[in-house]
Amino acid sequence: MKYKEFNKKIIELVGGKGNIQSVVHCMTRLRFTLKDRSKAKTDELKALDGVVDVVSNNVAYQVIVGTHVNEVHAELISMLDLKNAEGDDMPKEKKHPLKAMLDLVSEIMTPVIEPIIASGLLAGFLSLFTITGILSEEGSTFLLLNSIREAVFYFLPILIAMSCAKRLKASPYLAVALAATLVSTSINGVEGLSIFGISLPQTTYANSFIPIILAVWFMGKLTVFLQKRIPQFLQYFLNPVLIMVICLPVTLLFFGPIGIWIGDGIGWFFELLNNTFGSWIVVMLYAALQPFLIMLGAGNFMMPLSLNFLNKLGYDPIFLGAATISDIAVSGAMLGYFFKAKEMKQKQLFGTVSFSALMGVTEPAIYGAFIKFRRPFIAVIIGGGLGGLFAGFMKVKTYSMVWGLMGLPSYAQNQDFSNLIFMVASVVIAFIGAAIAAYILGIPSEEKSKDTVAAPGGDSKPLNKKVIFSSAAEGEAVQLENIKDQAFSTGALGKGIGIIPSSNEVVSPLEGEVTVVFPTKHAIGLKTDSGIEVLIHIGVDTVELEGKYFETVVKEGDRVVPGQLLSKVDFSGIIEAGYDPTIIVIVANTPDYLDVIPTASGAVTKDCEIFTVIV
């Protein structure tokens, strides 16, 4: 329970367990449904270590905690009695329709993003490889790799069913079974079908998402209905078959056609918009305003629309391209601030979040800089708007479900090289336009001193500060990949460095607290006041020695300073016993930081720098 105390404070500040009706999450935010929002102490919540910001409006009550939100949410759910909170006996809050839709879309789409991104990027690289002649479209390698992309979208209803079943109170396995039935060769796109003598319209369920969402929603309602009316001892046998036998005909007769009509309606609306005003205005507006949508928690709303376009047209003429242009504009705005800033800490901040946005992750920039300085929003409106305007006029098409710089090769899909050129020109316009605008607008002087934010896990620390650690022993530094222990050599437990000791003393590399001393004395955990967790593992597989050859001189809770003795170790005895004496020093919470960079090589002394943590 890494975030137990953090979640306790959140529960308290949103009005207690009794005030929480439900809580979901998206990429960076906890989205609460509160019975009485006036009970929430929003200002105190914003000031809580680990909370980046709180967005409270008519759409949602959102607590932004960062990209580790899934871990926070998992522990939060385990601490809340959500069964009672969502039970039929509890008064239901009448949700704002837009809020209910955003909650549902966010919850459904977030788990599905992973395979979608994988398939989209793969499509981009395959396009690049075929253009350069590395692969042939008729070759076996291309066909096998391309099958990943095709499978993800063909079986999209199955992924959607799995994602939304729990949210809609349906059995995930029955939902997946229903989706698999719909995309089977017996039903998908087959003409002349009928059920109970009623003719069925020809419907293609592969690549679709609206019919299965409607079907799973109905399945959830039917499940609750049957649980109340079927005797308990018969439910295990009867409910599954009744659910499937009822849901399939209803889906084929109603939800399939309705879902297709909704998809066609969305397409018709944007076609009308395109014929009346031109799609350029939508591309321009979305590219200019996407950061505001991300702040509102509505960043995922475009995904179903994009999926619908890809399904109906084979490409997205609006949203995916506009999202990429907007991300690049955010990167450009932060680069403009990078050149404008005079303070090194600010330069580090703006440079880091600029690169992150370039790779398609804009939350660090939006919550770390945009909200504080405000003016970058204007820069993105200018740069993103100009880039989106150009892309709209040039009718840029996005052929794969992908966004960000890494997805650019996919714009040449189907040998559409002019489309790629126009897209590259659009992102260049957005990047340069936003960078120039941000540089001219400048950094508000009253904001320059604000250079700290809350860190993941609940500790507050300076943005992008370099924290340098000294050696834990005298000896010779070795890189982790050379350690004869797969868990450490692969970096699975965190980044760091190894030391082949030349003396029998192991000392502290930092100022902080001893958080753990293993009973076998072969490992010691330390933590800085800013929250960096360091593990010192003395020897490889030395846990088997059960404390022999180790004399630890500190205990849990002790304060230590760099160079302070932690343990005396008989390394010659360890070697004679057949064990590797290498001391491994790693940052256990490496994912919480931008990077951990080893800086030592060769001989080291106790006061040598061994690695740097970029906060």
mmCIF file of all heavy atoms in Angstrom, residues 273-308:
data_model
loop_
_atom_site.group_PDB
_atom_site.id
_atom_site.type_symbol
_atom_site.label_atom_id
_atom_site.label_comp_id
_atom_site.label_asym_id
_atom_site.label_seq_id
_atom_site.Cartn_x
_atom_site.Cartn_y
_atom_site.Cartn_z
ATOM 1 N N LEU A 273 -20.572 19.465 -42.011
ATOM 2 C CA LEU A 273 -19.698 20.541 -41.549
ATOM 3 C C LEU A 273 -18.614 20.826 -42.591
ATOM 4 O O LEU A 273 -18.297 21.984 -42.881
ATOM 5 C CB LEU A 273 -19.058 20.142 -40.224
ATOM 6 C CG LEU A 273 -18.336 21.227 -39.430
ATOM 7 C CD1 LEU A 273 -19.298 22.282 -38.944
ATOM 8 C CD2 LEU A 273 -17.618 20.591 -38.234
ATOM 9 N N ASN A 274 -18.098 19.744 -43.160
ATOM 10 C CA ASN A 274 -17.039 19.886 -44.164
ATOM 11 C C ASN A 274 -17.568 20.579 -45.417
ATOM 12 O O ASN A 274 -16.910 21.450 -45.983
ATOM 13 C CB ASN A 274 -16.477 18.512 -44.509
ATOM 14 C CG ASN A 274 -15.332 18.578 -45.500
ATOM 15 O OD1 ASN A 274 -14.376 19.306 -45.286
ATOM 16 N ND2 ASN A 274 -15.446 17.836 -46.591
ATOM 17 N N ASN A 275 -18.773 20.185 -45.840
ATOM 18 C CA ASN A 275 -19.346 20.772 -47.052
ATOM 19 C C ASN A 275 -19.810 22.206 -46.843
ATOM 20 O O ASN A 275 -19.861 22.999 -47.791
ATOM 21 C CB ASN A 275 -20.515 19.915 -47.549
ATOM 22 C CG ASN A 275 -20.064 18.540 -48.003
ATOM 23 O OD1 ASN A 275 -18.917 18.350 -48.389
ATOM 24 N ND2 ASN A 275 -20.980 17.566 -47.940
ATOM 25 N N THR A 276 -20.169 22.533 -45.588
ATOM 26 C CA THR A 276 -20.688 23.866 -45.301
ATOM 27 C C THR A 276 -19.568 24.853 -44.987
ATOM 28 O O THR A 276 -19.501 25.941 -45.572
ATOM 29 C CB THR A 276 -21.669 23.813 -44.114
ATOM 30 O OG1 THR A 276 -22.673 22.832 -44.375
ATOM 31 C CG2 THR A 276 -22.320 25.171 -43.902
ATOM 32 N N PHE A 277 -18.704 24.476 -44.053
ATOM 33 C CA PHE A 277 -17.637 25.384 -43.628
ATOM 34 C C PHE A 277 -16.243 24.916 -44.063
ATOM 35 O O PHE A 277 -15.332 25.706 -44.205
ATOM 36 C CB PHE A 277 -17.638 25.523 -42.093
ATOM 37 C CG PHE A 277 -18.933 26.031 -41.531
ATOM 38 C CD1 PHE A 277 -19.848 25.166 -40.953
ATOM 39 C CD2 PHE A 277 -19.258 27.375 -41.598
ATOM 40 C CE1 PHE A 277 -21.047 25.620 -40.435
ATOM 41 C CE2 PHE A 277 -20.454 27.845 -41.080
ATOM 42 C CZ PHE A 277 -21.351 26.964 -40.498
ATOM 43 N N GLY A 278 -16.104 23.604 -44.185
ATOM 44 C CA GLY A 278 -14.787 23.035 -44.424
ATOM 45 C C GLY A 278 -14.269 22.392 -43.149
ATOM 46 O O GLY A 278 -14.391 22.966 -42.059
ATOM 47 N N SER A 279 -13.694 21.201 -43.260
ATOM 48 C CA SER A 279 -13.195 20.508 -42.068
ATOM 49 C C SER A 279 -12.038 21.256 -41.430
ATOM 50 O O SER A 279 -11.702 21.012 -40.272
ATOM 51 C CB SER A 279 -12.746 19.086 -42.432
ATOM 52 O OG SER A 279 -11.665 19.121 -43.340
ATOM 53 N N TRP A 280 -11.458 22.185 -42.173
ATOM 54 C CA TRP A 280 -10.307 22.927 -41.651
ATOM 55 C C TRP A 280 -10.637 23.637 -40.350
ATOM 56 O O TRP A 280 -9.779 23.771 -39.475
ATOM 57 C CB TRP A 280 -9.814 23.931 -42.690
ATOM 58 C CG TRP A 280 -10.855 24.955 -43.107
ATOM 59 C CD1 TRP A 280 -11.718 24.864 -44.152
ATOM 60 C CD2 TRP A 280 -11.140 26.197 -42.460
ATOM 61 N NE1 TRP A 280 -12.533 25.965 -44.204
ATOM 62 C CE2 TRP A 280 -12.194 26.808 -43.187
ATOM 63 C CE3 TRP A 280 -10.613 26.854 -41.358
ATOM 64 C CZ2 TRP A 280 -12.728 28.040 -42.834
ATOM 65 C CZ3 TRP A 280 -11.148 28.095 -41.003
ATOM 66 C CH2 TRP A 280 -12.186 28.676 -41.734
ATOM 67 N N ILE A 281 -11.881 24.091 -40.201
ATOM 68 C CA ILE A 281 -12.221 24.851 -38.994
ATOM 69 C C ILE A 281 -12.207 23.932 -37.770
ATOM 70 O O ILE A 281 -11.777 24.331 -36.678
ATOM 71 C CB ILE A 281 -13.588 25.555 -39.145
ATOM 72 C CG1 ILE A 281 -13.777 26.566 -37.993
ATOM 73 C CG2 ILE A 281 -14.736 24.556 -39.156
ATOM 74 C CD1 ILE A 281 -14.944 27.488 -38.210
ATOM 75 N N VAL A 282 -12.640 22.657 -37.928
ATOM 76 C CA VAL A 282 -12.632 21.725 -36.803
ATOM 77 C C VAL A 282 -11.203 21.321 -36.467
ATOM 78 O O VAL A 282 -10.824 21.247 -35.300
ATOM 79 C CB VAL A 282 -13.477 20.472 -37.129
ATOM 80 C CG1 VAL A 282 -13.581 19.573 -35.903
ATOM 81 C CG2 VAL A 282 -14.861 20.862 -37.605
ATOM 82 N N VAL A 283 -10.400 21.034 -37.503
ATOM 83 C CA VAL A 283 -8.998 20.677 -37.279
ATOM 84 C C VAL A 283 -8.277 21.825 -36.573
ATOM 85 O O VAL A 283 -7.534 21.617 -35.615
ATOM 86 C CB VAL A 283 -8.291 20.358 -38.619
ATOM 87 C CG1 VAL A 283 -6.830 20.001 -38.370
ATOM 88 C CG2 VAL A 283 -8.993 19.205 -39.322
ATOM 89 N N MET A 284 -8.515 23.036 -37.038
ATOM 90 C CA MET A 284 -7.869 24.209 -36.443
ATOM 91 C C MET A 284 -8.276 24.382 -34.978
ATOM 92 O O MET A 284 -7.418 24.578 -34.108
ATOM 93 C CB MET A 284 -8.241 25.463 -37.227
ATOM 94 C CG MET A 284 -7.638 26.752 -36.662
ATOM 95 S SD MET A 284 -8.233 28.232 -37.511
ATOM 96 C CE MET A 284 -9.950 28.287 -36.935
ATOM 97 N N LEU A 285 -9.568 24.288 -34.690
ATOM 98 C CA LEU A 285 -10.045 24.497 -33.327
ATOM 99 C C LEU A 285 -9.544 23.414 -32.388
ATOM 100 O O LEU A 285 -9.133 23.693 -31.259
ATOM 101 C CB LEU A 285 -11.574 24.551 -33.309
ATOM 102 C CG LEU A 285 -12.212 25.803 -33.925
ATOM 103 C CD1 LEU A 285 -13.716 25.669 -33.982
ATOM 104 C CD2 LEU A 285 -11.818 27.055 -33.131
ATOM 105 N N TYR A 286 -9.566 22.143 -32.842
ATOM 106 C CA TYR A 286 -9.117 21.074 -31.954
ATOM 107 C C TYR A 286 -7.622 21.178 -31.689
ATOM 108 O O TYR A 286 -7.163 21.000 -30.555
ATOM 109 C CB TYR A 286 -9.437 19.697 -32.541
ATOM 110 C CG TYR A 286 -9.265 18.597 -31.526
ATOM 111 C CD1 TYR A 286 -10.313 18.248 -30.675
ATOM 112 C CD2 TYR A 286 -8.051 17.949 -31.360
ATOM 113 C CE1 TYR A 286 -10.160 17.264 -29.712
ATOM 114 C CE2 TYR A 286 -7.876 16.967 -30.397
ATOM 115 C CZ TYR A 286 -8.937 16.634 -29.578
ATOM 116 O OH TYR A 286 -8.769 15.679 -28.613
ATOM 117 N N ALA A 287 -6.836 21.479 -32.719
ATOM 118 C CA ALA A 287 -5.395 21.619 -32.531
ATOM 119 C C ALA A 287 -5.070 22.778 -31.607
ATOM 120 O O ALA A 287 -4.094 22.737 -30.849
ATOM 121 C CB ALA A 287 -4.708 21.826 -33.887
ATOM 122 N N ALA A 288 -5.897 23.822 -31.628
ATOM 123 C CA ALA A 288 -5.655 24.989 -30.791
ATOM 124 C C ALA A 288 -6.106 24.781 -29.352
ATOM 125 O O ALA A 288 -5.492 25.303 -28.416
ATOM 126 C CB ALA A 288 -6.374 26.204 -31.382
ATOM 127 N N LEU A 289 -7.169 23.993 -29.153
ATOM 128 C CA LEU A 289 -7.815 23.938 -27.839
ATOM 129 C C LEU A 289 -7.624 22.621 -27.096
ATOM 130 O O LEU A 289 -8.136 22.467 -25.987
ATOM 131 C CB LEU A 289 -9.316 24.209 -28.000
ATOM 132 C CG LEU A 289 -9.683 25.551 -28.623
ATOM 133 C CD1 LEU A 289 -11.191 25.668 -28.799
ATOM 134 C CD2 LEU A 289 -9.160 26.718 -27.793
ATOM 135 N N GLN A 290 -6.893 21.661 -27.660
ATOM 136 C CA GLN A 290 -6.746 20.367 -27.001
ATOM 137 C C GLN A 290 -6.210 20.474 -25.569
ATOM 138 O O GLN A 290 -6.674 19.734 -24.688
ATOM 139 C CB GLN A 290 -5.851 19.429 -27.808
ATOM 140 C CG GLN A 290 -5.724 18.053 -27.153
ATOM 141 C CD GLN A 290 -4.880 17.085 -27.948
ATOM 142 O OE1 GLN A 290 -5.358 16.070 -28.401
ATOM 143 N NE2 GLN A 290 -3.601 17.404 -28.123
ATOM 144 N N PRO A 291 -5.232 21.351 -25.249
ATOM 145 C CA PRO A 291 -4.765 21.438 -23.852
ATOM 146 C C PRO A 291 -5.882 21.750 -22.865
ATOM 147 O O PRO A 291 -5.872 21.253 -21.731
ATOM 148 C CB PRO A 291 -3.727 22.569 -23.898
ATOM 149 C CG PRO A 291 -3.211 22.530 -25.295
ATOM 150 C CD PRO A 291 -4.399 22.190 -26.141
ATOM 151 N N PHE A 292 -6.856 22.565 -23.281
ATOM 152 C CA PHE A 292 -7.986 22.862 -22.393
ATOM 153 C C PHE A 292 -8.830 21.611 -22.171
ATOM 154 O O PHE A 292 -9.317 21.365 -21.063
ATOM 155 C CB PHE A 292 -8.849 23.978 -22.994
ATOM 156 C CG PHE A 292 -8.180 25.309 -23.056
ATOM 157 C CD1 PHE A 292 -7.630 25.763 -24.235
ATOM 158 C CD2 PHE A 292 -8.074 26.111 -21.927
ATOM 159 C CE1 PHE A 292 -7.001 26.993 -24.303
ATOM 160 C CE2 PHE A 292 -7.450 27.335 -21.980
ATOM 161 C CZ PHE A 292 -6.907 27.789 -23.173
ATOM 162 N N LEU A 293 -9.025 20.816 -23.224
ATOM 163 C CA LEU A 293 -9.796 19.582 -23.094
ATOM 164 C C LEU A 293 -9.099 18.592 -22.174
ATOM 165 O O LEU A 293 -9.743 17.896 -21.391
ATOM 166 C CB LEU A 293 -10.003 18.953 -24.474
ATOM 167 C CG LEU A 293 -10.854 19.770 -25.457
ATOM 168 C CD1 LEU A 293 -10.851 19.118 -26.826
ATOM 169 C CD2 LEU A 293 -12.283 19.911 -24.942
ATOM 170 N N ILE A 294 -7.765 18.530 -22.260
ATOM 171 C CA ILE A 294 -7.010 17.642 -21.371
ATOM 172 C C ILE A 294 -7.196 18.074 -19.928
ATOM 173 O O ILE A 294 -7.369 17.248 -19.025
ATOM 174 C CB ILE A 294 -5.523 17.648 -21.766
ATOM 175 C CG1 ILE A 294 -5.346 16.947 -23.122
ATOM 176 C CG2 ILE A 294 -4.672 16.951 -20.702
ATOM 177 C CD1 ILE A 294 -3.945 17.023 -23.668
ATOM 178 N N MET A 295 -7.167 19.376 -19.674
ATOM 179 C CA MET A 295 -7.386 19.878 -18.312
ATOM 180 C C MET A 295 -8.760 19.499 -17.792
ATOM 181 O O MET A 295 -8.931 19.191 -16.608
ATOM 182 C CB MET A 295 -7.244 21.397 -18.288
ATOM 183 C CG MET A 295 -5.818 21.912 -18.302
ATOM 184 S SD MET A 295 -5.796 23.705 -18.245
ATOM 185 C CE MET A 295 -6.732 24.014 -16.760
ATOM 186 N N LEU A 296 -9.757 19.500 -18.676
ATOM 187 C CA LEU A 296 -11.121 19.168 -18.264
ATOM 188 C C LEU A 296 -11.347 17.665 -18.154
ATOM 189 O O LEU A 296 -12.413 17.225 -17.745
ATOM 190 C CB LEU A 296 -12.124 19.753 -19.278
ATOM 191 C CG LEU A 296 -12.249 21.277 -19.299
ATOM 192 C CD1 LEU A 296 -13.111 21.715 -20.472
ATOM 193 C CD2 LEU A 296 -12.844 21.788 -17.991
ATOM 194 N N GLY A 297 -10.344 16.882 -18.531
ATOM 195 C CA GLY A 297 -10.504 15.436 -18.505
ATOM 196 C C GLY A 297 -11.244 14.904 -19.702
ATOM 197 O O GLY A 297 -11.710 13.767 -19.708
ATOM 198 N N ALA A 298 -11.344 15.728 -20.762
ATOM 199 C CA ALA A 298 -12.086 15.325 -21.954
ATOM 200 C C ALA A 298 -11.159 14.962 -23.101
ATOM 201 O O ALA A 298 -11.573 14.922 -24.259
ATOM 202 C CB ALA A 298 -13.020 16.455 -22.386
ATOM 203 N N GLY A 299 -9.900 14.681 -22.805
ATOM 204 C CA GLY A 299 -8.933 14.384 -23.847
ATOM 205 C C GLY A 299 -9.240 13.110 -24.616
ATOM 206 O O GLY A 299 -8.831 12.967 -25.769
ATOM 207 N N ASN A 300 -9.974 12.182 -23.994
ATOM 208 C CA ASN A 300 -10.268 10.908 -24.656
ATOM 209 C C ASN A 300 -11.532 10.946 -25.513
ATOM 210 O O ASN A 300 -11.850 9.966 -26.183
ATOM 211 C CB ASN A 300 -10.434 9.796 -23.615
ATOM 212 C CG ASN A 300 -9.105 9.280 -23.122
ATOM 213 O OD1 ASN A 300 -8.075 9.544 -23.717
ATOM 214 N ND2 ASN A 300 -9.129 8.548 -22.021
ATOM 215 N N PHE A 301 -12.234 12.062 -25.495
ATOM 216 C CA PHE A 301 -13.535 12.062 -26.171
ATOM 217 C C PHE A 301 -13.386 11.893 -27.685
ATOM 218 O O PHE A 301 -14.295 11.403 -28.362
ATOM 219 C CB PHE A 301 -14.291 13.358 -25.857
ATOM 220 C CG PHE A 301 -14.261 14.391 -26.958
ATOM 221 C CD1 PHE A 301 -15.272 14.453 -27.901
ATOM 222 C CD2 PHE A 301 -13.206 15.282 -27.065
ATOM 223 C CE1 PHE A 301 -15.245 15.396 -28.918
ATOM 224 C CE2 PHE A 301 -13.173 16.221 -28.061
ATOM 225 C CZ PHE A 301 -14.197 16.283 -29.004
ATOM 226 N N MET A 302 -12.221 12.296 -28.228
ATOM 227 C CA MET A 302 -12.055 12.209 -29.676
ATOM 228 C C MET A 302 -11.782 10.780 -30.149
ATOM 229 O O MET A 302 -11.907 10.483 -31.340
ATOM 230 C CB MET A 302 -10.921 13.138 -30.132
ATOM 231 C CG MET A 302 -9.553 12.824 -29.575
ATOM 232 S SD MET A 302 -8.617 11.671 -30.599
ATOM 233 C CE MET A 302 -7.017 11.666 -29.766
ATOM 234 N N MET A 303 -11.400 9.867 -29.233
ATOM 235 C CA MET A 303 -11.027 8.522 -29.664
ATOM 236 C C MET A 303 -12.183 7.762 -30.322
ATOM 237 O O MET A 303 -11.993 7.174 -31.391
ATOM 238 C CB MET A 303 -10.448 7.734 -28.499
ATOM 239 C CG MET A 303 -9.089 8.258 -28.045
ATOM 240 S SD MET A 303 -8.264 7.138 -26.908
ATOM 241 C CE MET A 303 -7.987 5.722 -27.963
ATOM 242 N N PRO A 304 -13.391 7.751 -29.748
ATOM 243 C CA PRO A 304 -14.486 7.065 -30.449
ATOM 244 C C PRO A 304 -14.788 7.697 -31.801
ATOM 245 O O PRO A 304 -15.117 6.986 -32.750
ATOM 246 C CB PRO A 304 -15.674 7.234 -29.483
ATOM 247 C CG PRO A 304 -15.046 7.443 -28.151
ATOM 248 C CD PRO A 304 -13.794 8.215 -28.418
ATOM 249 N N LEU A 305 -14.669 9.021 -31.892
ATOM 250 C CA LEU A 305 -14.918 9.681 -33.170
ATOM 251 C C LEU A 305 -13.875 9.270 -34.201
ATOM 252 O O LEU A 305 -14.195 9.016 -35.367
ATOM 253 C CB LEU A 305 -14.900 11.205 -32.978
ATOM 254 C CG LEU A 305 -15.889 11.769 -31.955
ATOM 255 C CD1 LEU A 305 -15.736 13.278 -31.838
ATOM 256 C CD2 LEU A 305 -17.323 11.418 -32.351
ATOM 257 N N SER A 306 -12.618 9.187 -33.761
ATOM 258 C CA SER A 306 -11.547 8.777 -34.675
ATOM 259 C C SER A 306 -11.730 7.331 -35.114
ATOM 260 O O SER A 306 -11.538 6.998 -36.288
ATOM 261 C CB SER A 306 -10.181 8.955 -33.986
ATOM 262 O OG SER A 306 -9.949 10.304 -33.663
ATOM 263 N N LEU A 307 -12.077 6.471 -34.154
ATOM 264 C CA LEU A 307 -12.326 5.071 -34.497
ATOM 265 C C LEU A 307 -13.464 4.946 -35.512
ATOM 266 O O LEU A 307 -13.411 4.117 -36.427
ATOM 267 C CB LEU A 307 -12.656 4.278 -33.237
ATOM 268 C CG LEU A 307 -11.484 3.990 -32.295
ATOM 269 C CD1 LEU A 307 -11.994 3.454 -30.958
ATOM 270 C CD2 LEU A 307 -10.524 2.984 -32.924
ATOM 271 N N ASN A 308 -14.482 5.774 -35.341
ATOM 272 C CA ASN A 308 -15.606 5.745 -36.273
ATOM 273 C C ASN A 308 -15.155 6.156 -37.674
ATOM 274 O O ASN A 308 -15.540 5.533 -38.676
ATOM 275 C CB ASN A 308 -16.709 6.679 -35.776
ATOM 276 C CG ASN A 308 -17.957 6.600 -36.638
ATOM 277 O OD1 ASN A 308 -18.673 5.601 -36.629
ATOM 278 N ND2 ASN A 308 -18.205 7.646 -37.410
#
